[in-house]
Amino acid sequence: LPYTSMPVEHVLFMKLREMSGDEWKTLHDHAMNLKTQVPGVIEVHFGPTFTTARANGYTHGFRVLLQDRASLEGYGPHASHQTFVGVLNAFRIDPPVCLDWDV
């Protein structure tokens, strides 16, 4: 699809192993840093589900609102995102489900 100037939602549903409070703080801090370190990131939200009975094994949700599709393209390879992915991968059980759409 062609680029638009509309904001983009980038959402992941993840299956992560249990972690200590310190591990969660480190992972969460890396996620929150994306807002100030990656151009085009407007909002970042990340947390565990509290509705486990209907989550089909998914334990965490991650949402990033980006300025536009061009920002999404720059987000993936950005060094801060790659650092977050490296930390995140230590806790992943399975690959995430990822969806992106125009807002």
Side-chain angles (χ1 to χ4, degrees):
L1 293 172
Y3 283 131
T4 68
S5 60
M6 299 173 69
V8 171
E9 291 280 7
H10 172 67
V11 176
L12 282 78
F13 299 98
M14 299 176 272
K15 295 179 182 180
L16 303 181
R17 69 168 174 80
E18 288 191 33
M19 59 190 87
S20 71
D22 286 344
E23 289 173 324
W24 169 247
K25 182 179 179 340
T26 297
L27 181 58
H28 190 265
D29 287 351
H30 278 285
M32 295 301 105
N33 287 341
L34 296 171
K35 184 175 177 181
T36 59
Q37 296 175 353
V38 180
V41 172
I42 299 168
E43 294 179 356
V44 176
H45 300 276
F46 184 33
T49 185
F50 57 85
T51 55
T52 56
R54 62 182 188 170
N56 293 324
Y58 291 92
T59 60
H60 291 74
F62 178 71
R63 176 186 162 263
V64 179
L65 179 65
L66 295 120
Q67 187 173 350
D68 52 26
R69 290 187 186 184
S71 297
L72 178 63
E73 279 203 9
Y75 170 81
H78 192 280
S80 293
H81 176 255
Q82 290 301 309
T83 298
F84 169 63
V85 169
V87 174
L88 178 65
N89 283 344
F91 301 102
R92 272 193 6 197
I93 296 170
D94 287 319
V97 172
C98 180
L99 298 171
D100 303 300
W101 63 89
D102 295 319
V103 176

